[in-house]
Structure formats: C-alpha cells, structure tokens
Amino acid sequence: MNPLVSICIPTYNGEAFLKEALNSIKLQTYNNIEVVVSDDASHDNTLNILERFKSEVDFSVNIYHHLPKGIGANWNNCIEHSNGEYIKFLFQDDVLETSCIKEQVDFLRVNKLKAVCSKRLIINEFSEPVDSGGWYSFNYDLQKNIDFNDYFFFKKKHLKYSSSIMHNLFGEPDTFLYDKSIFNELGVFNENYKQILDLEFSYRLLEKYTIGIQNKRLLKFRLHSNQATAINNGKTLPERKEFICYVGAKYFFYLSKSAKKMYFLEKIPVLQKWGKLKVWMGFK
C-alpha cells in the first residue's frame, strides 16, 4: 500500500488564493493523503473555505487553531499533528501540479532518500506565468549553476555551486517532500528565524543526508505583493549574521571562494571596514 502523505497547510488570512491551492489537492493522482491545517487566527474567510473543502472530499482534513507565534511555529504545529510517513507542505498561495506528490513519493522510495525537492513555475496573483523582472531573474532557476538532466543528488560537496551562503539552492518548503522521521531526528524548523528558517533546515538536513532535486516544475510558486517573500525582499534580516557564521563554520571546506569571503566579512567585521578604506584610498 502507498504510504500516507500529510499535506500540511499553515494558514493566515489566505482567502485570496486558498481555493486554488485546495483544488490542486483534489486533483492529485496520489490518493493516500491527509490534510493538516494550522491556522494562525485568520479573520477573513479562510476557515469557511477550509470547512467547505473538508465537506467536499473523502480524505481526512484536520483543522487546528493556533496561537500566532511566527511562521515557524505555524509550520511546526502542522508537523506535530501529522500522521503521515511523509510530509508535504503546501502554502496557501501556491499550487501543486497534478502529479507532484506521486512523482516525489516514487522518487524517494526508488532512491531511498529522506528528502526531495523540485523546481517550480513562478506565477502572479492572476495565476499567470511570470517570466521577467529582477526577482524572477535571480530566483526562477535556483539550480541554474548545476548541470543535470532529470535529477541530481545534492551532497555537501556541491555547495561549491553557490556564490552566496544566503542563496537558497533548493527551494521553498513546499517544493520538498520530507520523510517525517527526519524531523524527529534533526528537530523541526528553527522558530527563532523569521525568514530563512527553511534554508537553515536544508543546511541542517544536508549535514547528514543527500537531498534529491528533480528537474521538473512540480509546484506553482505565487509571487504577489502581500507575501513574506515580497515584503522581506531587500531587507536586512536580523538573523543574517548568525546564519552566515553558522553555515560558514560548519561547511567551510565545501563552500565556494565567494561564500567563504562572505563568512569572513561577517565573522570579522573589521575586514569590511578595511575593504571600504581601500576603495576610499583608491586601491582595488
């Protein structure tokens, strides 16, 4: 029998796009699923949409009311209440391709891995493909520096492909399918981080396991003005220094030269001042 997959949906005032996200679950070719919702006290029509969805499907849909404590706490509450062998996040803005769960479950089982992620298609608030713009140019293909065909087995040594510690080489949590056992073994998402908690978890996962990457766009990732990605774009995140120093120390010998430089500049701030002084004095 196919293993149970828990589709975890952390919600907060998601009425704008939630119906489309939920409809993509109905269309999945993989049938052994449950839906676990953790709602952070939504005050729009989110809960009504979820209750109607629950009445329309023949699989388990459990809705848990959660006291808001940040996005990490909401994600982790989903995991805590899940019963599946595998965890599949779906954010309220995004859309699963019809074969997403089946293809990812098959990939994990065939290759005996604990986690797999896929590429994704970028869409806008009208569900139209995005194919231009600054964010798109930098983030559309997160693995563009890696040459591979159908799939890639990403190990620590492949961190050399990234020029920046802050660059996410994998993707958002809902591009992943996780074996639930890894959360028991490695811990859940770090709730102290506000924005890069998914990247921190991927680095933590990479410490022990290979991450599979599928060269197929199995998720539609929605870019719009009200999401955290857009709101935080360009901001200096409070966890940035801590995160760079953590990754730099743990994976130093695997990093590219530019990523190592980033680590040293954060670890030893005086180097940043010296670099500015050299520019001011006319030295390269």
Side-chain angles (χ1 to χ4, degrees), residues 6-17:
S6 297
I7 304 176
C8 293
I9 311 177
T11 58
Y12 174 69
N13 290 347
E15 67 177 4
F17 307 112

Side-chain angles (χ1 to χ4, degrees), residues 218-249:
L218 296 175
L219 178 89
K220 294 178 181 176
F221 175 80
R222 193 184 306 273
L223 189 65
H224 61 93
S225 58
N226 292 325
Q227 68 185 156
T229 297
I231 293 171
N232 287 290
N233 189 30
K235 289 185 178 180
T236 300
L237 301 173
E239 62 260 33
R240 183 180 186 277
K241 179 181 177 65
E242 175 188 339
F243 178 72
I244 290 174
C245 290
Y246 151 71
V247 173

Side-chain angles (χ1 to χ4, degrees), residues 7 23-31 33 96-102:
I7 304 176
N23 190 55
S24 74
I25 297 175
K26 291 181 182 179
L27 297 174
Q28 288 302 297
T29 57
Y30 190 90
N31 296 319
I33 60 175
L96 298 173
E97 294 290 5
T98 303
S99 64
C100 178
I101 294 178
K102 184 179 189 319

Side-chain angles (χ1 to χ4, degrees), residues 120 122 130-142 144 167 221 223 229-230 233-234:
R120 69 274 198 272
I122 312 299
V130 174
D131 58 8
S132 62
W135 190 94
Y136 171 87
S137 299
F138 188 75
N139 294 286
Y140 174 63
D141 189 348
L142 299 175
K144 60 186 176 183
H167 176 58
F221 175 80
L223 189 65
T229 297
N233 189 30

Side-chain angles (χ1 to χ4, degrees), residues 25 32 34 37 41 47 69 71 88 128 142 235 244 251:
I25 297 175
N32 192 19
E34 67 168 4
V37 179
L47 291 174
K69 296 179 182 178
I71 60 173
K88 179 66 183 178
E128 302 166 336
L142 299 175
K235 289 185 178 180
I244 290 174
Y251 295 103

Side-chain angles (χ1 to χ4, degrees), residues 154-156 158-170 176 178 186 189 193 196-209 211 243-244 246-248 250-252 254-256 259 262:
F154 197 101
K155 304 176 185 292
K156 287 183 284 189
H158 298 123
L159 289 171
K160 64 184 179 183
Y161 288 117
S162 178
S163 60
S164 170
I165 291 174
M166 296 296 294
H167 176 58
N168 191 336
L169 277 166
F170 309 103
F176 274 86
Y178 301 103
L186 304 176
F189 293 99
Y193 285 175
I196 55 173
L197 59 169
D198 55 331
L199 181 56
E200 186 275 335
F201 185 79
S202 292
Y203 272 110
R204 202 176 344 140
L205 177 62
L206 194 62
E207 185 175 357
K208 186 167 184 179
Y209 294 108
I211 298 176
F243 178 72
I244 290 174
Y246 151 71
V247 173
K250 183 172 288 293
Y251 295 103
F252 183 81
Y254 302 101
L255 299 176
S256 65
M262 174 181 282

Side-chain angles (χ1 to χ4, degrees), residues 26-231:
K26 291 181 182 179
L27 297 174
Q28 288 302 297
T29 57
Y30 190 90
N31 296 319
N32 192 19
I33 60 175
E34 67 168 4
V35 172
V36 180
V37 179
S38 176
D39 183 74
D40 263 3
S42 292
H43 50 79
D44 64 355
N45 203 36
T46 292
L47 291 174
N48 290 332
I49 293 171
L50 288 167
E51 290 292 347
R52 181 165 185 173
F53 170 74
K54 183 176 181 178
S55 70
E56 295 172 341
V57 299
D58 58 3
F59 46 80
S60 175
V61 178
N62 295 304
I63 304 167
Y64 298 94
H65 301 279
H66 182 250
L67 182 66
K69 296 179 182 178
I71 60 173
N74 208 19
W75 297 1
N76 291 337
N77 194 47
C78 284
I79 297 170
E80 180 182 348
H81 287 97
S82 65
N83 300 297
E85 182 177 337
Y86 295 114
I87 300 289
K88 179 66 183 178
F89 276 95
L90 175 60
F91 294 152
Q92 62 190 19
D93 309 326
D94 299 339
V95 179
L96 298 173
E97 294 290 5
T98 303
S99 64
C100 178
I101 294 178
K102 184 179 189 319
E103 291 199 44
Q104 293 199 312
V105 169
D106 289 347
F107 188 90
L108 285 190
R109 300 185 80 184
V110 167
N111 295 290
K112 297 180 172 54
L113 297 179
K114 295 289 188 178
V116 60
C117 63
S118 74
K119 296 193 176 187
R120 69 274 198 272
L121 180 71
I122 312 299
I123 59 174
N124 62 19
E125 57 192 308
F126 306 108
S127 300
E128 302 166 336
V130 174
D131 58 8
S132 62
W135 190 94
Y136 171 87
S137 299
F138 188 75
N139 294 286
Y140 174 63
D141 189 348
L142 299 175
Q143 300 90 24
K144 60 186 176 183
N145 293 329
I146 306 174
D147 184 22
F148 65 104
N149 293 318
D150 295 335
Y151 55 85
F152 187 80
F153 296 128
F154 197 101
K155 304 176 185 292
K156 287 183 284 189
K157 64 181 180 180
H158 298 123
L159 289 171
K160 64 184 179 183
Y161 288 117
S162 178
S163 60
S164 170
I165 291 174
M166 296 296 294
H167 176 58
N168 191 336
L169 277 166
F170 309 103
E172 297 75 23
D174 51 359
T175 65
F176 274 86
L177 181 72
Y178 301 103
D179 187 312
K180 188 181 179 181
S181 66
I182 65 175
F183 294 105
N184 297 324
E185 181 180 356
L186 304 176
V188 291
F189 293 99
N190 188 336
E191 297 178 16
N192 294 322
Y193 285 175
K194 305 301 181 186
Q195 179 66 10
I196 55 173
L197 59 169
D198 55 331
L199 181 56
E200 186 275 335
F201 185 79
S202 292
Y203 272 110
R204 202 176 344 140
L205 177 62
L206 194 62
E207 185 175 357
K208 186 167 184 179
Y209 294 108
T210 297
I211 298 176
I213 303 176
Q214 293 171 295
N215 196 10
K216 295 187 71 172
R217 302 191 186 279
L218 296 175
L219 178 89
K220 294 178 181 176
F221 175 80
R222 193 184 306 273
L223 189 65
H224 61 93
S225 58
N226 292 325
Q227 68 185 156
T229 297
I231 293 171

